[in-house]
Amino acid sequence: MQDAHGWRLEESIGSGTIIDPDGTIFTCAHVVADFQSTKAVVRGKVSVTLQDGREFEGVVLNADRHSDIAVVKIKSKTPLPAARLGSSSRLQPGDWVVALGCPLSLQNTVTAGIVSCVDRKSSDLGLGGLRREYLQTDCAINQGNSGGPLVNLDGEIIGVNVMKVRNADGLSFAVPIDSVVKIVDNFKRNGRVVRPWLGLKMLDLNPMNISQLKE
C-alpha cells in the first residue's frame, strides 16, 4: 500500500478467483485496501499465489468499500485457467454450494453447505450505510476465506465470500455474483461504482399521517 509518506507494507491474507485468462481476479476490498483510510484506493501491490504454487505480483486495479469487492490483475506469460460465472438470481434456499479459499493460511480448502437465504439485507446484520444484499450460507468460513468463490454444483461462481458472524456457526455471507458483475462493469466504464439515488422516503399511508400531511 502507498500513503503520503511513501510505501508501507501491511500483512493481510485472503482468497480470490481468476475470472479471465489474462489474469483478472475477483477478491474482497478489505483484503487489499485500507478500510480505515478515507482516501481513494490507490493501485497497491499484492502477492498472489496460485494453486499450483506459482507466485505473481498483483496490482489492485479497483476496490469498492461499500460492496467490499476489488479487482486485482496479474501478468502471466501463458493463459491462466479461468472460472465460469453463473447466475445468483437462480439460487433458491436449500441449494448446495461449495466455498473455496485458504482459511487460516490453509491453502486449497473446500467446505460445503447450503444456501440459507438468497436476499439477506445488510440492515438485518446491523450494517449501516448503503443497502446491500447477501447470500447467506452455512458453509464454514474463516479468516482467509474472504474474497474466495462460492460455487454451485455445476462449478459456476455464484458469489464472493465476504464475512461470517463472529462466534457463530453456520452463518456466512457472500456478495451475489450478479452484483459483482455490475460492480466490475462500473469499474470498466467509470473507474468507480456509480450509485444514483432519489431523495425520497416511502411510507404506508394511515389516518394519522394523512392528517399530518394535510396540515
Side-chain angles (χ1 to χ4, degrees):
M1 301 292 292
Q2 187 181 29
D3 62 9
H5 305 290
W7 291 97
R8 58 189 172 91
L9 295 177
E10 288 192 357
E11 290 189 6
S12 177
I13 187 169
S15 306
T17 307
I18 301 174
I19 50 92
D20 195 294
D22 68 358
T24 302
I25 299 173
F26 285 161
T27 188
C28 275
H30 76 256
V31 173
V32 297
D34 181 7
F35 264 45
Q36 303 303 318
S37 174
T38 57
K39 299 177 182 178
V41 175
V42 297
R43 294 201 169 195
K45 295 182 179 180
V46 295
S47 174
V48 178
T49 303
L50 302 188
Q51 183 181 10
D52 59 15
R54 284 184 292 170
E55 294 187 5
F56 294 86
E57 182 182 83
V59 177
V60 182
L61 296 184
N62 251 311
D64 179 60
R65 292 186 176 93
H66 294 293
S67 62
D68 201 5
I69 294 297
V71 174
V72 173
K73 183 69 176 292
I74 61 176
K75 292 183 179 180
S76 174
K77 295 180 180 179
T78 58
L80 297 168
R84 289 184 293 124
L85 303 184
S87 174
S88 51
S89 63
R90 300 176 183 174
L91 289 174
Q92 295 181 338
D95 286 349
W96 281 93
V97 288
V98 173
L100 294 85
C102 54
L104 307 176
S105 300
L106 300 174
Q107 291 276 15
N108 309 325
T109 296
V110 178
T111 58
I114 62 169
V115 175
S116 306
C117 179
V118 295
D119 57 352
R120 179 64 64 204
K121 306 294 189 296
S122 55
S123 56
D124 295 340
L125 304 175
L127 301 176
L130 296 175
R131 175 177 172 175
R132 289 153 289 177
E133 294 184 350
Y134 299 99
L135 301 174
Q136 179 183 331
T137 78
D138 65 352
C139 293
I141 298 294
N142 289 284
Q143 183 179 1
N145 274 114
S146 293
L150 189 68
V151 184
N152 63 20
L153 296 188
D154 293 324
E156 299 170 331
I157 310 300
I158 47 86
V160 174
N161 299 312
V162 294
M163 62 181 170
K164 62 171 288 186
V165 174
R166 189 183 301 273
N167 300 324
D169 295 326
L171 287 173
S172 56
F173 302 91
V175 178
I177 195 63
D178 293 353
S179 299
V180 176
V181 169
K182 292 178 182 178
I183 290 166
V184 174
D185 286 343
N186 267 259
F187 284 160
K188 292 178 179 178
R189 290 198 309 267
N190 309 305
R192 61 187 179 89
V193 179
V194 177
R195 294 182 173 89
W197 60 282
L198 295 175
L200 302 176
K201 180 178 180 181
M202 307 297 290
L203 72 159
D204 294 327
L205 289 179
N206 56 50
M208 183 179 70
N209 57 36
I210 288 176
S211 63
Q212 289 177 343
L213 290 171
K214 288 181 178 179
E215 292 176 359

